[in-house]
């Protein structure tokens, strides 16, 4: 079993065009570190110089915004999907 | 003829060619249209605008569209109404209502949609789509029908019945999502990576958002080419407030205003969904997303993408913010209707209630010329006032019954 990370179009050049990447479970920080290890470049694009997620990067674990969960410490269990989505507006 | 130079990231400044893209590939910051203001200044004049159509397209020099107007139902050039009775009730001096309820589908979203779908046709899209809290759904469905485009409109399933009906009537696909607006938005952001559709507020958003600037242009023109001292603007994503401020600044930049504008910008949110107001009131630089719970559904965005820019605009302009309760919203809808004859939807109630609150706090002053943006029509959210208002008297169809209910001496007084 593993977790699935959905890659937005803007970052698919880093994943060789793949829309989804399978990784081992763990905390969200672990999963994103594994993503960068598998496909170097994600770290610099998702995180700012302060090592925090950039403010226009939204991450969802099982469809819930991680700011309503435990942020980067959120546990990502086997079979769960993580979505990386740019902030969008509307109304 | 467009004067667009490039698309530029608001966060890191990286530039991109004009394309249906909305975020910086590097940092995910939102892209903004960058113009050649010298060229606009040479091309534009008050006389040229006055000779233009009575719609947003009179300002086409300042819009990012090549062929004007490609998609046009007549959005814009809505009334600016002097509101002396409202001002007197609130102890204010000069107050104006920018009444955007009179647009083709009765909200300001016709402005942004007309620009977005005009641009979508230029890009060659065949399908129009959006994530919406209701007003945008109306506007996209109507403008897509007019332009002969297929449409997919995504809305939260708990939306007001009126807004569903006034979207579905145009015949496109209306997809009700079991979730709130932020859920709808996320789905659309992911779908936009899969289908080659013009999602007006996703991949076309950079252009779409520019349509809101016309609310500033019209206000200044209708005030005799002067900027107001203070504006009160409802905040959902934060884009409208940000763009209205930008609009006033641009008018000066291209020579249409004689004096540099110093417009104080204040933001209005419902207490049940007030992430930006909460950051302001808590003097925080971080906007924490919330789960919306308010009758002002058109403002119910818990994760506002342009919230940071709205917060900056209010701070830099020394404006204010308020978050108002559902009861205050309903009272304000009735206050505006009673004093000025304008029936606003719940978002307008939020805005008028914020005007009242900031006036009471002394943030909005009596010596200021204030413009209040009423962005949607009350018929869209009848539920908010059903039960609050109705017949004031019910009688038999006889003169006697009428006189039993009303003292004739009072009636002749």
């Amino acid at each position: 079993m593993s977790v699935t990370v959905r890659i937005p179009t803007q970052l698919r050049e880093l994943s060789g065009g793949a829309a989804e990447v399978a990784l081992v479970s763990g905390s969200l920080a672990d999963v994103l570190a594994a993503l960068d290890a598998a496909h170097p470049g994600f770290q610099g694009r998702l995180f700012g110089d302060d090592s925090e997620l950039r403010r226009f990067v939204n991450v969802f674990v099982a469809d819930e915004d991680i700011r309503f969960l435990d942020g980067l410490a959120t546990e990502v269990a086997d079979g769960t999907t993580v979505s990386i989505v740019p902030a969008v507006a509307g109304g | 003829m467009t004067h667009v130079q490039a698309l530029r990231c608001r966060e890191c400044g990286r530039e991109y060619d004009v394309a249906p893209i909305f975020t910086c590939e590097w940092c995910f910051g939102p892209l903004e249209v960058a113009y050649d203001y010298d060229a606009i200044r040479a091309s534009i004049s008050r006389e040229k605008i006055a000779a233009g159509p009575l719609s947003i397209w009179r300002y086409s020099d300042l819009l990012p569209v090549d062929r004007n107007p490609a998609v046009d139902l007549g959005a814009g050039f809505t009334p600016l109404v002097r509101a002396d009775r409202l001002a007197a009730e609130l102890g204010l001096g000069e107050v104006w209502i920018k009444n955007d309820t009179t647009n083709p589908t009765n909200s300001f979203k016709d402005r942004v949609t007309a620009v977005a779908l005009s641009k979508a046709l230029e890009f060659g899209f065949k399908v129009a789509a959006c994530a919406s809290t209701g007003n945008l759904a109306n506007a996209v469905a109507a403008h897509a029908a007019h332009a002969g485009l297929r449409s997919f409109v995504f809305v939260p399933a708990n939306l007001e019945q009126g807004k569903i009906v006034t979207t579905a009537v145009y015949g496109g696909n209306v997809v009700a999502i079991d979730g709130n607006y932020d859920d709808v938005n996320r789905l659309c952001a992911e779908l936009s990576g899969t289908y080659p559709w013009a999602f007006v507020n996703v991949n076309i958003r950079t252009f779409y958002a520019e349509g809101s600037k016309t609310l500033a242009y019209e206000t200044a023109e209708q005030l005799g080419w002067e900027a107001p001292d203070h504006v009160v603007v409802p905040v959902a994503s934060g884009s409208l407030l940000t763009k209205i401020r930008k609009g006033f600044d641009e008018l000066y930049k291209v020579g249409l205003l004689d004096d540099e504008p110093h417009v104080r910008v204040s933001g209005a949110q419902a207490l049940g969904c007030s992430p930006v107001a909460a950051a302001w009131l808590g003097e925080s630089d971080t906007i924490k997303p919330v789960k919306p719970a308010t009758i002002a559904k058109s403002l119910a965005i818990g994760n506002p993408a342009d919230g940071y820019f709205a917060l900056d605009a209010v701070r830099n302009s020394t404006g204010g913010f308020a978050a108002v309760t559902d009861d205050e919203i309903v009272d304000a809808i009735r206050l505006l209707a009673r004093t000025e004859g304008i029936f606003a939807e719940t978002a307008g109630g939020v805005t008028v209630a914020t005007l009242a609150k900031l006036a009471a706090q002394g943030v909005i002053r009596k010596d200021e010329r204030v413009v209040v943006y009423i962005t949607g029509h009350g018929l869209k959210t009848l539920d908010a006032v059903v039960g609050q208002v109705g017949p004031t008297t019910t009688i038999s169809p006889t003169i006697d019954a009428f006189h039993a209910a009303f003292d004739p001496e009072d009636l002749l007084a």
Side-chain angles (χ1 to χ4, degrees):
Chain A
M1 285 291 281
S2 62
V3 303
T4 302
V5 180
R6 295 182 53 79
I7 310 297
T9 14
Q10 295 86 347
L11 296 179
R12 286 183 197 165
E13 56 171 296
L14 297 177
S15 59
E20 294 184 354
V21 175
L23 296 162
V24 294
S25 55
S27 72
L28 179 63
D30 295 339
V31 171
L32 294 180
L35 177 64
D36 186 68
H39 301 284
F42 274 97
Q43 177 74 22
R45 303 288 280 277
L46 299 178
F47 293 86
D49 296 337
D50 57 0
S51 300
E52 294 291 326
L53 280 169
R54 295 182 188 276
R55 61 183 185 166
F56 289 98
V57 174
N58 291 339
V59 179
F60 299 82
V61 172
D63 293 334
E64 184 62 287
D65 191 318
I66 59 159
R67 287 170 292 186
F68 291 114
L69 303 170
D70 292 330
L72 289 168
T74 303
E75 273 307 308
V76 186
D78 277 339
T80 305
T81 297
V82 175
S83 296
I84 301 169
V85 183
V88 287
Chain B
M1 167 59 199
T2 182
H3 300 290
V4 175
Q5 287 180 320
L7 306 183
R8 187 178 296 142
C9 176
R10 287 199 63 156
E11 282 285 274
C12 73
R14 278 180 174 73
E15 290 199 352
Y16 298 85
D17 290 338
V18 172
I21 53 175
F22 66 106
T23 50
C24 176
E25 290 186 2
W26 178 254
C27 74
F28 276 25
L31 301 181
E32 180 157 52
V33 178
Y35 296 90
D36 179 350
Y37 287 113
D38 290 336
I40 296 174
R41 193 184 178 95
S43 159
I44 207 166
S45 69
R46 293 178 183 177
E47 294 71 28
K48 184 177 168 188
I49 289 168
L54 292 173
S55 71
I56 60 168
W57 301 110
R58 66 204 278 107
Y59 310 106
S60 59
D61 277 320
L62 287 155
L63 294 173
V65 177
D66 292 327
R67 286 180 287 127
N68 294 310
V71 181
D72 185 22
L73 281 173
F77 219 72
T78 56
L80 183 70
V81 181
R82 176 85 185 231
D84 287 337
R85 290 173 189 280
L86 178 64
E89 289 247 357
L90 301 179
L92 291 170
E94 186 179 340
V95 175
W96 298 80
I97 302 293
K98 182 61 174 164
N99 181 9
D100 236 27
T101 70
T102 65
N103 274 308
T105 70
N106 306 104
S107 87
F108 88 102
K109 291 294 186 184
D110 290 317
R111 299 173 183 272
V112 285
T113 300
V115 173
L117 291 192
S118 293
K119 200 68 196 173
L121 289 187
E122 287 177 22
F123 286 133
F125 286 105
K126 302 283 189 278
V127 179
C130 69
S132 176
T133 55
N135 287 325
L136 183 60
N138 289 179
V140 167
H143 283 83
H146 187 68
L149 294 165
R150 283 181 76 199
S151 64
F152 280 86
V153 165
F154 297 83
V155 294
N158 75 349
L159 207 58
E160 298 95 340
Q161 175 76 4
K163 281 183 177 158
I164 301 272
V165 171
T166 51
T167 302
V169 73
Y170 298 107
N173 297 286
V174 181
V175 185
I177 305 289
D178 186 18
N180 62 30
Y181 175 77
D182 298 292
D183 297 320
V184 177
N185 215 10
R186 184 180 59 79
L187 174 67
C188 287
E190 295 203 67
L191 283 175
S192 76
T194 305
Y195 295 99
W197 297 349
F199 273 93
V200 301
N201 54 343
V202 184
N203 56 333
I204 309 296
R205 175 176 160 226
T206 311
F207 308 94
Y208 153 97
E210 292 289 286
S212 293
K213 299 187 306 182
T214 58
L215 274 165
Y217 305 154
E218 286 174 23
T219 299
E221 186 181 358
Q222 289 167 319
L223 289 173
W225 292 110
E226 286 184 15
D229 300 311
H230 206 137
V231 295
V232 185
V233 185
V235 171
S237 72
S239 174
L240 175 64
L241 183 148
T242 311
K243 294 294 182 178
I244 285 177
R245 174 135 198 255
K246 179 184 179 187
F248 287 118
D249 290 343
E250 283 184 335
L251 290 180
Y252 178 67
K253 210 177 278 185
V254 302
L256 291 172
L257 290 178
D258 296 329
D259 302 315
E260 187 172 1
H262 296 285
V263 184
R264 298 176 69 203
V265 183
S266 287
Q269 291 206 298
L271 190 59
C273 182
S274 52
V276 191
W280 166 267
L281 297 168
E283 297 179 5
S284 166
D285 286 330
T286 303
I287 294 172
K288 220 173 145 356
V290 300
K291 304 279 186 190
T294 170
I295 58 168
K297 291 180 183 170
S298 60
L299 300 182
I301 298 181
N303 183 11
D306 283 337
Y308 288 109
F309 301 125
L311 197 56
D312 287 348
V314 170
R315 283 207 175 118
N316 298 339
S317 72
T318 66
F321 245 110
V324 298
T325 65
D326 284 356
D327 285 345
E328 289 172 321
I329 294 167
V330 174
D331 288 347
I333 290 173
R334 295 180 65 184
L335 172 66
L336 179 64
R338 174 169 60 76
T339 55
E340 298 299 339
I342 294 169
F343 185 20
E345 68 153 350
T346 44
V350 171
T351 309
V352 171
T354 293
L355 173 76
K357 193 162 268 188
L358 294 180
Q361 293 170 355
V363 175
I364 297 175
R365 301 189 311 260
K366 192 170 186 172
D367 63 347
E368 290 183 303
R369 176 191 271 179
V370 184
V371 173
V372 181
Y373 287 89
I374 298 300
T375 51
H377 201 292
L379 289 174
K380 288 167 173 273
T381 57
L382 274 180
D383 289 356
V385 287
V386 166
Q388 300 274 333
V389 294
T392 51
T393 309
T394 302
I395 59 168
S396 311
T398 66
I399 294 284
D400 283 350
F402 183 70
H403 285 162
F406 294 95
D407 182 350
E409 282 190 23
D410 268 0
L411 299 178
L412 291 169

